[in-house]
Amino acid sequence: MASEATRAAPHGAQRVRKGLLLFFFLLFPVVFNFLSPYLSLSGAMQGAVSGSLLFFGLLLASSLFLGRGFCGWVCPGGAVQELCFAVNDRRVRGRRLDWLKYLIWVPWLGLIAFGLARAAADGSLTVQPRYLMDAWVSIDRPAQFITYYLVLALIVVPSLLVGRRTMCHAICWMAPFMIVGRRLRNAARWPALRLRADPQQCTSCGTCTRGCPMSLPVQQMVAAGRMERAECILCGSCVSTCPAAVIRLRFGAGR
């Protein structure tokens, strides 16, 4: 059994994580355009690599080493959804929702690739980090809050109606970039942030599964000795809630 000091440390990490999520949620109006799928597509159709598309590229690059850590520790949309736990903390069951986001992502990314390829072919391709932006602050006029609140509704309503982080499972346009990056990382087997577990020490209490914000069957993952899941956001909630300190978040090689 782990000592009290050992068990207390991950809980401190969760306070830090939730504090970071709250901080970046407060910054959401500032960075809103850099997370916009519309600006990426609109820019590509005009032959411009927008700031949002550059950011999505950074997400892909970061996932090679940090997986979906952005979702668990930084994403403003993730912060909003975890606030919704106070209203609906129901676990999202089944994996059908997980595939819905690809029905959005694949054609959207295909159109972006088409627009950029066309611009590159005729020599008009440009890089415009502030495409359709008057300033680096995204929401700088009252009228822009209409779009902002519509996007918030897109995030909040599914979570309130269905359950934990539904938007992450079903309609997030950013998650596939990180899932693809993590698959590339796993194929290369280079060092990255990963969950590790010791099945022999597991008491099968199910606390980790109940506490997972992405509704993953963490106890089954521990028993199988395979902690890798596409929907895992490396939030460390399972690490914090495990009373036997069976699960760890470590940087290393492997799968």
Side-chain angles (χ1 to χ4, degrees), residues 28 31-45 48 50-56 59 101 104-113 131-132 147 151 154-155 167 171-177:
F28 200 8
V31 301
F32 182 75
N33 286 339
F34 294 98
L35 297 137
S36 170
Y38 169 75
L39 287 186
S40 295
L41 180 57
S42 174
M45 291 296 103
S50 66
S52 59
L53 191 56
L54 290 172
F55 178 74
F56 298 148
L59 285 184
K101 57 181 170 285
I104 300 170
W105 187 71
V106 170
W108 169 71
L109 190 62
L111 287 172
I112 289 175
Y131 175 78
L132 293 185
T147 302
V151 171
L154 181 67
I155 298 171
M167 185 260 189
I171 56 178
C172 181
W173 55 89
M174 295 182 285
F177 286 105

Side-chain angles (χ1 to χ4, degrees), residues 3-246:
S3 67
E4 291 298 324
T6 302
R7 290 201 301 266
H11 291 284
Q14 284 304 299
R15 287 194 291 270
V16 171
R17 182 182 80 86
K18 292 179 180 181
L20 286 172
L21 285 176
L22 177 59
F23 172 75
F24 286 108
F25 170 61
L26 295 175
L27 281 182
F28 200 8
V30 177
V31 301
F32 182 75
N33 286 339
F34 294 98
L35 297 137
S36 170
Y38 169 75
L39 287 186
S40 295
L41 180 57
S42 174
M45 291 296 103
Q46 298 300 318
V49 177
S50 66
S52 59
L53 191 56
L54 290 172
F55 178 74
F56 298 148
L58 286 176
L59 285 184
L60 176 63
S62 71
S63 67
L64 299 176
F65 304 97
L66 300 176
R68 287 182 64 179
F70 170 83
C71 306
W73 292 77
V74 178
C75 181
V80 176
Q81 292 177 89
E82 294 203 15
L83 288 173
C84 291
F85 289 2
V87 179
N88 184 0
D89 196 27
R90 184 187 303 122
R91 287 172 49 78
V92 176
R93 303 188 182 279
R95 301 184 64 181
R96 294 181 181 179
L97 284 178
D98 296 347
W99 291 100
L100 291 178
K101 57 181 170 285
Y102 297 102
L103 297 180
I104 300 170
W105 187 71
V106 170
W108 169 71
L109 190 62
L111 287 172
I112 289 175
F114 169 77
L116 295 179
R118 182 179 60 183
D122 62 23
S124 62
L125 183 64
T126 60
V127 177
Q128 300 182 38
R130 284 177 52 187
Y131 175 78
L132 293 185
M133 295 168 57
D134 297 327
W136 289 106
V137 175
S138 299
I139 309 296
D140 60 354
R141 293 192 301 272
Q144 295 175 328
F145 277 97
I146 296 175
T147 302
Y148 175 73
Y149 285 121
L150 286 174
V151 171
L152 277 184
L154 181 67
I155 298 171
V156 169
V157 171
S159 293
L160 294 179
L161 294 179
V162 181
R164 298 182 186 179
R165 281 189 175 244
T166 303
M167 185 260 189
C168 292
H169 283 284
I171 56 178
C172 181
W173 55 89
M174 295 182 285
F177 286 105
M178 290 173 278
I179 292 172
V180 168
R182 190 157 64 179
R183 290 188 182 278
L184 292 174
R185 174 204 74 185
N186 288 341
R189 299 196 177 192
W190 57 59
L193 191 64
R194 307 171 189 272
L195 284 176
R196 303 290 192 190
D198 183 357
Q200 302 302 319
Q201 299 299 318
C202 180
T203 61
S204 301
C205 66
T207 305
C208 55
T209 295
R210 290 191 295 272
C212 178
M214 290 298 289
S215 307
L216 296 178
V218 185
Q219 183 182 329
Q220 295 178 22
M221 293 159 58
V222 171
R226 292 187 61 86
M227 301 302 293
E228 178 67 23
R229 285 292 182 99
E231 297 303 313
C232 176
I233 57 174
L234 295 176
C235 65
S237 293
C238 56
V239 179
S240 297
T241 58
C242 179
V246 168

